[in-house]
Amino acid sequence: GEDVEQSLFLSVREGDSSVINCTYTDSSSTYLYWYKQEPGAGLQLLTYIFSNMDMKQDQRLTVLLNKKDKHLSLRIADTQTGDSAIYFCAESMGGKLIFGQGTELSVKP
Amino acid sequence: GAVVSQHPSRVICKSGTSVKIECRSLDFQATTMFWYRQFPKQSLMLMATSNEGSKATYEQGVEKDKFLINHASLTLSTLTVTSAHPEDSSFYICSAREDRKNEQFFGPGTRLTVL
């Protein structure tokens, strides 16, 4: 199947770390992506990881990939109120992107 | 660089009319563009893959006669929702895959409301 699954909601306090989890099904996906969507807007690519990597760090963002379990996570360090948005993971399959349902991150001051 | 625009950003129309949405890659060429539909609080569902100079490839369950796609140049794809009905109301997002980099860039979306 082509299921990419995420938990729907996450609430954290400003300054804490946020961890958003995702599971995917296609072990042949070459790239896995994290996108951010603010209300009423399109998608912004945050980061991506190549399937032969275990971890990728980019400033406050850390992506972990467990290929055996087909599990992907996005950690946001020192979460700010401006990080409040919906976060989508996506896997590439045959040139197409298959998206998860999105995780709504709420950051409380 | 790598900006994708959509026009209009919002459109309200009456039932039975047709609406055209444009997707443009502003500073790169895109042989392939994608059209997605997003319902409130839900994920993006791929509707079709648009290829410059050839027919679009539609996903299962998407009516090609209802959602007409034209990709006449390397920087422009259009989606026409024909004979729109209230159930077609949604957020439509396009993306363009940059030919040189094979990376997709997303437009800001078009909010369609059919009365």
Side-chain angles (χ1 to χ4, degrees):
Chain A
E2 297 181 350
D3 289 333
V4 179
E5 296 195 355
Q6 301 176 237
S7 52
L8 296 181
F9 299 101
L10 176 65
S11 180
V12 301
R13 291 210 172 274
E14 195 173 18
D16 289 349
S17 291
S18 307
V19 179
I20 303 171
N21 294 301
C22 171
T23 56
Y24 61 98
T25 55
D26 186 4
S27 57
S28 65
S29 292
T30 311
Y31 289 95
L32 294 140
Y33 302 85
W34 283 104
Y35 287 88
K36 177 183 180 182
Q37 185 180 34
E38 296 184 4
L43 268 68
Q44 173 195 353
L45 177 66
L46 284 179
T47 187
Y48 62 91
I49 188 166
F50 191 51
S51 59
N52 70 351
M53 297 170 65
D54 297 325
M55 184 180 93
K56 180 179 179 182
Q57 186 151 4
D58 184 1
Q59 299 182 338
R60 292 192 296 125
L61 305 178
T62 304
V63 179
L64 295 179
L65 175 60
N66 182 328
K67 208 172 173 187
K68 175 175 162 288
D69 294 338
K70 298 193 187 76
H71 182 266
L72 182 73
S73 68
L74 173 70
R75 178 177 180 270
I76 305 172
D78 187 24
T79 314
Q80 303 297 308
T81 53
D83 294 324
S84 293
I86 299 177
Y87 291 80
F88 292 94
C89 66
E91 62 174 339
S92 62
M93 195 182 298
K96 299 187 283 192
L97 289 177
I98 308 298
F99 288 88
Q101 313 96 305
T103 299
E104 184 174 351
L105 174 63
S106 171
V107 182
K108 299 188 186 320
Chain B
V3 176
V4 175
S5 70
Q6 278 185 244
H7 178 79
S9 57
R10 287 180 175 273
V11 57
I12 301 172
C13 69
K14 291 184 180 178
S15 233
T17 59
S18 293
V19 174
K20 182 188 281 189
I21 303 170
E22 292 185 349
C23 177
R24 289 183 189 272
S25 56
L26 296 186
D27 48 4
F28 63 95
Q29 293 187 331
T31 302
T32 304
M33 293 187 179
F34 302 89
W35 286 97
Y36 296 85
R37 183 174 180 176
Q38 185 181 31
F39 291 105
K41 303 282 189 186
Q42 292 189 28
S43 186
L44 279 74
M45 299 301 297
L46 179 65
M47 297 173 67
T49 303
S50 167
N51 299 294
E52 187 266 339
S54 64
K55 289 183 181 178
T57 304
Y58 290 81
E59 295 299 303
Q60 195 171 9
V62 178
E63 297 174 58
K64 65 179 192 300
D65 295 328
K66 171 114 182 119
F67 298 100
L68 299 178
I69 290 172
N70 184 279
H71 193 155
S73 80
L74 288 172
T75 58
L76 173 64
S77 175
T78 61
L79 169 70
T80 302
V81 183
T82 63
S83 187
H85 289 282
E87 57 265 30
D88 297 325
S89 298
S90 192
F91 194 52
Y92 292 87
I93 301 177
C94 73
S95 71
R97 187 163 70 199
E98 185 170 359
D99 287 346
R100 291 185 305 121
K101 294 182 184 177
N102 201 31
E103 186 176 338
Q104 279 191 46
F105 298 93
F106 284 80
T110 297
R111 172 76 58 196
L112 170 63
T113 304
V114 184
L115 302 176

